[in-house]
Amino acid sequence: MLIAQLSDLHVRPHGVKYQGVVDSNQMLGEAIEHLLQMDQRPDLVLVTGDLVDEGSPAEYEVAKALLASMRIPYLAIPGNHDHRENFRKAFADQSYLPGSGPLHYCVDDHEVRIIGLDSCVPGHHHGSIDVAGLQWLSDVLQSNTSKPTVVMLHHPPFFCGIPYMDEYRYVDPRPLEAVLKQAGNVEIVLCGHVHRSMLRRWANTVVCTCPSTVTEIDLQLRPTAQPSSHVGPRGCMLHLWDEHIGMVSHTSQIGAFAGPYAFA
């Protein structure tokens, strides 16, 4: 099973640029075309948050139309730039989304089980999951301890070293870590938020973050570093599941590059 991951789309209303600089809607279209042109089309796309930039109904209308053009089934979770209720209304036709409360869900229709977690705190940019959400996750994990499972979580549950991103990290991930450690079948935790690809061993599994389809947040590790980003490199992730080899993840850069050449 080939699973693609898109993240941090930051869709804007028609004619409006992201941060007044770049056309995030066009960039999402290019990311979708990138997936459609692959030699093996993904079976499923996971969208790990920040589908839109300001959470407005107009933005969700554009995002939904663009994602529909993908013609590949997809599952999405909200990010800190999303608005939970507007997200729920926009994707009301997606039967996996709960009708009230945080947007936690489990989809068990594929070779790999997909658990979506809503780590958003309305009105804030950091991430957290309350006690009820953690109990829901524990119950879902314990209901099937053998099927390979992927967990979607917008906020990475660790310090990444970029000071202006760590300010908005998942706060106190220890209770979430304890729940995930109870399960031996979580193959990977897929995150967004940082607009970069990162990898960390955590909670007896692996956490992997996905680049944005729009901009890359700059890798600056000085404690006094000021927020900055660049247009590119943009990318997505591909997660290849095979029952014999497990999960293998690749970063796939979006854009036109020189080649192909007759060597590998």
Side-chain angles (χ1 to χ4, degrees), residues 219-259:
L219 178 57
Q220 301 186 93
L221 303 179
R222 301 186 320 277
T224 57
Q226 296 302 303
S228 65
S229 61
H230 280 76
V231 181
R234 299 176 291 134
C236 60
M237 298 294 297
L238 295 173
H239 309 283
L240 179 62
W241 164 257
D242 182 277
E243 62 177 330
H244 302 294
I245 63 174
M247 185 74 78
V248 178
S249 299
H250 301 263
T251 301
S252 183
Q253 303 292 351
I254 299 167
F257 306 96

Short mmCIF file of all heavy atoms in Angstrom, two decimals, residues 219-259:
data_model
loop_
_atom_site.label_atom_id
_atom_site.label_comp_id
_atom_site.label_asym_id
_atom_site.label_seq_id
_atom_site.Cartn_x
_atom_site.Cartn_y
_atom_site.Cartn_z
N LEU A 219 15.78 26.52 8.76
CA LEU A 219 16.44 25.76 9.82
C LEU A 219 17.44 26.68 10.52
O LEU A 219 18.56 26.88 10.07
CB LEU A 219 17.16 24.55 9.23
CG LEU A 219 17.93 23.67 10.22
CD1 LEU A 219 17.02 23.17 11.34
CD2 LEU A 219 18.60 22.51 9.50
N GLN A 220 17.00 27.25 11.63
CA GLN A 220 17.84 28.13 12.44
C GLN A 220 17.78 27.64 13.88
O GLN A 220 16.69 27.53 14.45
CB GLN A 220 17.33 29.58 12.36
CG GLN A 220 17.31 30.16 10.96
CD GLN A 220 16.94 31.63 10.99
OE1 GLN A 220 17.80 32.51 11.03
NE2 GLN A 220 15.65 31.91 10.99
N LEU A 221 18.92 27.37 14.45
CA LEU A 221 18.98 26.73 15.76
C LEU A 221 19.42 27.68 16.87
O LEU A 221 19.40 27.29 18.05
CB LEU A 221 19.91 25.52 15.71
CG LEU A 221 19.53 24.46 14.66
CD1 LEU A 221 20.54 23.32 14.68
CD2 LEU A 221 18.12 23.93 14.90
N ARG A 222 19.80 28.90 16.53
CA ARG A 222 20.17 29.86 17.57
C ARG A 222 18.95 30.22 18.41
O ARG A 222 17.87 30.46 17.86
CB ARG A 222 20.75 31.14 16.97
CG ARG A 222 21.97 30.97 16.10
CD ARG A 222 22.53 32.33 15.67
NE ARG A 222 21.49 33.28 15.31
CZ ARG A 222 20.91 33.33 14.11
NH1 ARG A 222 21.25 32.46 13.17
NH2 ARG A 222 19.99 34.24 13.86
N PRO A 223 19.09 30.29 19.72
CA PRO A 223 17.94 30.65 20.57
C PRO A 223 17.35 32.01 20.23
O PRO A 223 16.17 32.25 20.49
CB PRO A 223 18.53 30.64 21.98
CG PRO A 223 19.72 29.74 21.90
CD PRO A 223 20.28 29.93 20.53
N THR A 224 18.16 32.90 19.65
CA THR A 224 17.69 34.25 19.33
C THR A 224 17.22 34.39 17.88
O THR A 224 16.90 35.49 17.44
CB THR A 224 18.82 35.27 19.58
OG1 THR A 224 19.97 34.90 18.79
CG2 THR A 224 19.20 35.30 21.04
N ALA A 225 17.18 33.28 17.15
CA ALA A 225 16.80 33.34 15.73
C ALA A 225 15.39 33.89 15.57
O ALA A 225 14.49 33.58 16.35
CB ALA A 225 16.90 31.95 15.10
N GLN A 226 15.21 34.70 14.54
CA GLN A 226 13.92 35.30 14.25
C GLN A 226 13.19 34.47 13.19
O GLN A 226 13.83 33.91 12.29
CB GLN A 226 14.09 36.74 13.76
CG GLN A 226 14.69 37.66 14.81
CD GLN A 226 13.84 37.71 16.07
OE1 GLN A 226 12.65 38.03 16.02
NE2 GLN A 226 14.45 37.38 17.21
N PRO A 227 11.86 34.40 13.24
CA PRO A 227 11.11 33.58 12.28
C PRO A 227 11.39 33.98 10.84
O PRO A 227 11.40 35.17 10.51
CB PRO A 227 9.64 33.86 12.66
CG PRO A 227 9.70 34.28 14.09
CD PRO A 227 10.99 35.02 14.26
N SER A 228 11.63 32.98 10.01
CA SER A 228 11.82 33.23 8.58
C SER A 228 11.58 31.95 7.81
O SER A 228 11.67 30.84 8.36
CB SER A 228 13.23 33.79 8.29
OG SER A 228 14.21 32.83 8.59
N SER A 229 11.28 32.10 6.54
CA SER A 229 11.06 30.94 5.68
C SER A 229 11.43 31.31 4.25
O SER A 229 11.62 32.48 3.92
CB SER A 229 9.61 30.46 5.76
OG SER A 229 8.73 31.49 5.35
N HIS A 230 11.51 30.29 3.40
CA HIS A 230 11.80 30.48 2.00
C HIS A 230 10.75 29.75 1.15
O HIS A 230 10.11 28.81 1.61
CB HIS A 230 13.19 29.94 1.64
CG HIS A 230 14.31 30.87 2.00
ND1 HIS A 230 14.75 31.03 3.31
CD2 HIS A 230 15.07 31.68 1.24
CE1 HIS A 230 15.75 31.90 3.33
NE2 HIS A 230 15.97 32.31 2.08
N VAL A 231 10.61 30.19 -0.06
CA VAL A 231 9.74 29.49 -1.01
C VAL A 231 10.55 28.33 -1.58
O VAL A 231 11.34 28.48 -2.50
CB VAL A 231 9.26 30.42 -2.14
CG1 VAL A 231 8.34 29.66 -3.09
CG2 VAL A 231 8.52 31.61 -1.55
N GLY A 232 10.37 27.18 -1.00
CA GLY A 232 11.05 25.98 -1.45
C GLY A 232 12.19 25.62 -0.52
O GLY A 232 12.62 26.44 0.29
N PRO A 233 12.64 24.35 -0.61
CA PRO A 233 12.05 23.32 -1.44
C PRO A 233 10.73 22.81 -0.86
O PRO A 233 10.61 22.67 0.35
CB PRO A 233 13.10 22.20 -1.45
CG PRO A 233 13.85 22.39 -0.17
CD PRO A 233 13.86 23.86 0.09
N ARG A 234 9.78 22.60 -1.73
CA ARG A 234 8.48 22.07 -1.32
C ARG A 234 8.49 20.56 -1.51
O ARG A 234 9.27 20.02 -2.29
CB ARG A 234 7.37 22.69 -2.16
CG ARG A 234 7.28 24.20 -2.04
CD ARG A 234 6.23 24.77 -2.98
NE ARG A 234 6.62 24.65 -4.36
CZ ARG A 234 5.83 24.22 -5.34
NH1 ARG A 234 4.60 23.83 -5.05
NH2 ARG A 234 6.25 24.15 -6.57
N GLY A 235 7.62 19.88 -0.81
CA GLY A 235 7.62 18.43 -0.95
C GLY A 235 6.43 17.77 -0.31
O GLY A 235 5.56 18.41 0.28
N CYS A 236 6.41 16.46 -0.45
CA CYS A 236 5.41 15.61 0.21
C CYS A 236 6.16 14.37 0.69
O CYS A 236 7.35 14.21 0.44
CB CYS A 236 4.28 15.26 -0.74
SG CYS A 236 4.81 14.35 -2.23
N MET A 237 5.46 13.51 1.39
CA MET A 237 6.04 12.26 1.84
C MET A 237 5.31 11.10 1.18
O MET A 237 4.11 11.18 0.88
CB MET A 237 5.94 12.11 3.35
CG MET A 237 6.68 13.17 4.16
SD MET A 237 8.46 13.13 3.98
CE MET A 237 8.86 11.51 4.65
N LEU A 238 6.03 10.02 0.97
CA LEU A 238 5.45 8.76 0.48
C LEU A 238 5.83 7.67 1.48
O LEU A 238 7.01 7.50 1.80
CB LEU A 238 5.98 8.40 -0.90
CG LEU A 238 5.61 9.36 -2.03
CD1 LEU A 238 6.35 8.96 -3.31
CD2 LEU A 238 4.11 9.37 -2.27
N HIS A 239 4.82 6.97 1.96
CA HIS A 239 5.01 5.91 2.95
C HIS A 239 4.56 4.60 2.33
O HIS A 239 3.36 4.40 2.07
CB HIS A 239 4.22 6.22 4.22
CG HIS A 239 4.47 7.60 4.75
ND1 HIS A 239 5.62 7.93 5.44
CD2 HIS A 239 3.73 8.75 4.68
CE1 HIS A 239 5.57 9.22 5.78
NE2 HIS A 239 4.44 9.72 5.33
N LEU A 240 5.51 3.73 2.07
CA LEU A 240 5.22 2.45 1.40
C LEU A 240 5.14 1.35 2.44
O LEU A 240 6.12 1.06 3.14
CB LEU A 240 6.33 2.15 0.38
CG LEU A 240 6.18 0.83 -0.40
CD1 LEU A 240 4.90 0.84 -1.23
CD2 LEU A 240 7.40 0.60 -1.28
N TRP A 241 3.94 0.77 2.54
CA TRP A 241 3.73 -0.32 3.49
C TRP A 241 3.74 -1.66 2.77
O TRP A 241 3.06 -1.83 1.75
CB TRP A 241 2.41 -0.17 4.25
CG TRP A 241 1.99 -1.44 4.92
CD1 TRP A 241 1.04 -2.32 4.51
CD2 TRP A 241 2.58 -2.01 6.10
NE1 TRP A 241 0.98 -3.39 5.36
CE2 TRP A 241 1.92 -3.23 6.35
CE3 TRP A 241 3.59 -1.59 6.96
CZ2 TRP A 241 2.24 -4.03 7.43
CZ3 TRP A 241 3.91 -2.40 8.03
CH2 TRP A 241 3.24 -3.60 8.26
N ASP A 242 4.48 -2.59 3.30
CA ASP A 242 4.50 -3.96 2.79
C ASP A 242 4.54 -4.89 4.00
O ASP A 242 5.31 -4.67 4.94
CB ASP A 242 5.73 -4.19 1.90
CG ASP A 242 5.76 -5.59 1.31
OD1 ASP A 242 6.22 -6.52 2.02
OD2 ASP A 242 5.33 -5.75 0.16
N GLU A 243 3.72 -5.90 3.97
CA GLU A 243 3.62 -6.77 5.14
C GLU A 243 4.93 -7.50 5.44
O GLU A 243 5.16 -7.95 6.57
CB GLU A 243 2.49 -7.79 4.96
CG GLU A 243 2.68 -8.74 3.78
CD GLU A 243 1.56 -9.77 3.70
OE1 GLU A 243 1.01 -10.11 4.76
OE2 GLU A 243 1.25 -10.21 2.58
N HIS A 244 5.81 -7.61 4.45
CA HIS A 244 7.07 -8.32 4.66
C HIS A 244 8.20 -7.39 5.10
O HIS A 244 9.09 -7.81 5.84
CB HIS A 244 7.47 -9.05 3.37
CG HIS A 244 6.45 -10.03 2.89
ND1 HIS A 244 6.13 -11.17 3.60
CD2 HIS A 244 5.66 -10.03 1.78
CE1 HIS A 244 5.19 -11.85 2.95
NE2 HIS A 244 4.89 -11.18 1.85
N ILE A 245 8.18 -6.12 4.63
CA ILE A 245 9.29 -5.22 4.95
C ILE A 245 8.88 -4.10 5.90
O ILE A 245 9.72 -3.35 6.39
CB ILE A 245 9.89 -4.61 3.68
CG1 ILE A 245 8.86 -3.74 2.94
CG2 ILE A 245 10.43 -5.70 2.76
CD1 ILE A 245 9.44 -3.00 1.75
N GLY A 246 7.58 -3.96 6.17
CA GLY A 246 7.10 -2.91 7.06
C GLY A 246 6.92 -1.59 6.32
O GLY A 246 6.62 -1.57 5.12
N MET A 247 7.13 -0.48 7.03
CA MET A 247 6.90 0.86 6.48
C MET A 247 8.23 1.51 6.09
O MET A 247 9.15 1.58 6.90
CB MET A 247 6.18 1.73 7.51
CG MET A 247 5.78 3.11 7.00
SD MET A 247 4.36 3.04 5.88
CE MET A 247 3.02 2.83 7.08
N VAL A 248 8.30 1.98 4.85
CA VAL A 248 9.46 2.73 4.36
C VAL A 248 8.96 4.09 3.89
O VAL A 248 8.00 4.17 3.11
CB VAL A 248 10.17 2.00 3.21
CG1 VAL A 248 11.33 2.84 2.69
CG2 VAL A 248 10.65 0.63 3.66
N SER A 249 9.60 5.17 4.35
CA SER A 249 9.13 6.53 4.05
C SER A 249 10.15 7.27 3.19
O SER A 249 11.37 7.16 3.41
CB SER A 249 8.87 7.31 5.35
OG SER A 249 7.87 6.68 6.12
N HIS A 250 9.64 8.01 2.23
CA HIS A 250 10.46 8.79 1.31
C HIS A 250 9.97 10.24 1.29
O HIS A 250 8.77 10.49 1.34
CB HIS A 250 10.36 8.25 -0.12
CG HIS A 250 10.77 6.82 -0.28
ND1 HIS A 250 12.03 6.46 -0.69
CD2 HIS A 250 10.08 5.66 -0.09
CE1 HIS A 250 12.11 5.14 -0.75
NE2 HIS A 250 10.95 4.63 -0.39
N THR A 251 10.91 11.18 1.18
CA THR A 251 10.56 12.56 0.87
C THR A 251 10.59 12.74 -0.63
O THR A 251 11.57 12.36 -1.28
CB THR A 251 11.55 13.54 1.53
OG1 THR A 251 11.54 13.34 2.94
CG2 THR A 251 11.16 14.98 1.23
N SER A 252 9.54 13.31 -1.20
CA SER A 252 9.46 13.53 -2.64
C SER A 252 9.36 15.03 -2.91
O SER A 252 8.38 15.67 -2.53
CB SER A 252 8.24 12.79 -3.22
OG SER A 252 8.19 12.94 -4.63
N GLN A 253 10.38 15.60 -3.53
CA GLN A 253 10.41 17.04 -3.80
C GLN A 253 9.48 17.37 -4.97
O GLN A 253 9.43 16.64 -5.96
CB GLN A 253 11.83 17.50 -4.12
CG GLN A 253 12.85 17.19 -3.03
CD GLN A 253 12.63 18.00 -1.77
OE1 GLN A 253 11.83 18.92 -1.73
NE2 GLN A 253 13.35 17.66 -0.71
N ILE A 254 8.78 18.47 -4.83
CA ILE A 254 7.84 18.93 -5.85
C ILE A 254 8.53 20.00 -6.69
O ILE A 254 9.07 20.97 -6.16
CB ILE A 254 6.57 19.50 -5.21
CG1 ILE A 254 5.86 18.43 -4.38
CG2 ILE A 254 5.63 20.08 -6.27
CD1 ILE A 254 4.78 18.97 -3.47
N GLY A 255 8.51 19.83 -8.02
CA GLY A 255 9.12 20.81 -8.90
C GLY A 255 9.78 20.16 -10.09
O GLY A 255 9.85 18.92 -10.20
N ALA A 256 10.29 20.96 -11.01
CA ALA A 256 10.97 20.48 -12.20
C ALA A 256 12.48 20.53 -11.97
O ALA A 256 13.01 21.57 -11.56
CB ALA A 256 10.59 21.32 -13.42
N PHE A 257 13.16 19.42 -12.24
CA PHE A 257 14.59 19.35 -12.02
C PHE A 257 15.26 18.74 -13.25
O PHE A 257 14.62 18.02 -14.03
CB PHE A 257 14.91 18.49 -10.78
CG PHE A 257 14.20 18.94 -9.55
CD1 PHE A 257 13.00 18.36 -9.15
CD2 PHE A 257 14.69 19.99 -8.78
CE1 PHE A 257 12.32 18.77 -8.02
CE2 PHE A 257 14.02 20.42 -7.65
CZ PHE A 257 12.84 19.82 -7.26
N ALA A 258 16.54 19.00 -13.44
CA ALA A 258 17.26 18.46 -14.59
C ALA A 258 17.30 16.95 -14.54
O ALA A 258 17.44 16.34 -13.49
CB ALA A 258 18.68 19.03 -14.61
N GLY A 259 17.21 16.31 -15.71
CA GLY A 259 17.19 14.86 -15.82
C GLY A 259 15.92 14.41 -16.54
O GLY A 259 15.17 15.25 -17.03
#
